[in-house]
Amino acid sequence: QVQLVESGGGLVQAGGSLRLSCAASGLTFGSYAMGWFRQAPGKEREFVASISWNGVTSYYADFVKGRFTISRDNAKNSVYLQMNSLQPEDSADYYCAASDSLGVHRYRYSYWGQGTQVTVSS
């Protein structure tokens, strides 16, 4: 059974930083591209960042470029999202997801975590 478990969310002031982690089990982690998505109340789930199976290639949504960094450690079956210069509009539930091919569209991702909440106060 595939499990993706996010952690690291919380409450932070504007301008602050958080590091999200996602621990995977039940799949050959090094064979999957991984992505982060977010969903704010009343909005659709949107792409944040993704990274190839070997960590060589990554994509970012325009609204996070230069502020967020995605990385992975295949030895630890984990993917991370370092978020800097957080703003109130970054408040959302953040989800990690696994795909057999790198992409930015959520329909490409087969496995999803339960999410971790990020709240940025002004």
Side-chain angles (χ1 to χ4, degrees), residues 4-9 20-23 36 94-97 112-116:
L4 302 177
V5 181
E6 302 94 337
S7 61
L20 306 184
S21 299
C22 173
W36 286 97
Y94 282 72
Y95 299 86
C96 73
W112 292 84
Q114 292 300 306
T116 186

Side-chain angles (χ1 to χ4, degrees), residues 4-111:
L4 302 177
V5 181
E6 302 94 337
S7 61
L11 174 64
V12 63
Q13 289 188 333
S17 298
L18 283 174
R19 187 186 192 223
L20 306 184
S21 299
C22 173
S25 60
L27 76 171
T28 306
F29 183 75
S31 297
Y32 284 82
M34 299 297 296
W36 286 97
F37 293 76
R38 71 184 188 185
Q39 187 169 17
K43 295 189 176 182
E44 290 192 355
R45 192 168 297 188
E46 62 181 354
F47 170 77
V48 176
S50 60
I51 190 166
S52 60
W53 65 273
N54 58 3
V56 170
T57 303
S58 57
Y59 297 137
Y60 294 93
D62 286 344
F63 55 78
V64 303
K65 283 182 180 176
R67 298 190 299 129
F68 292 8
T69 303
I70 189 171
S71 62
R72 66 189 296 159
D73 186 338
N74 286 350
K76 296 183 178 180
N77 286 2
S78 294
V79 62
Y80 309 98
L81 186 68
Q82 177 66 44
M83 305 187 295
N84 299 328
S85 302
L86 284 162
Q87 299 301 315
E89 53 266 33
D90 294 316
S91 296
D93 290 329
Y94 282 72
Y95 299 86
C96 73
S99 172
D100 59 7
S101 61
L102 182 63
V104 304
H105 297 294
R106 60 180 186 263
Y107 69 82
R108 299 177 72 105
Y109 289 79
S110 302
Y111 304 109

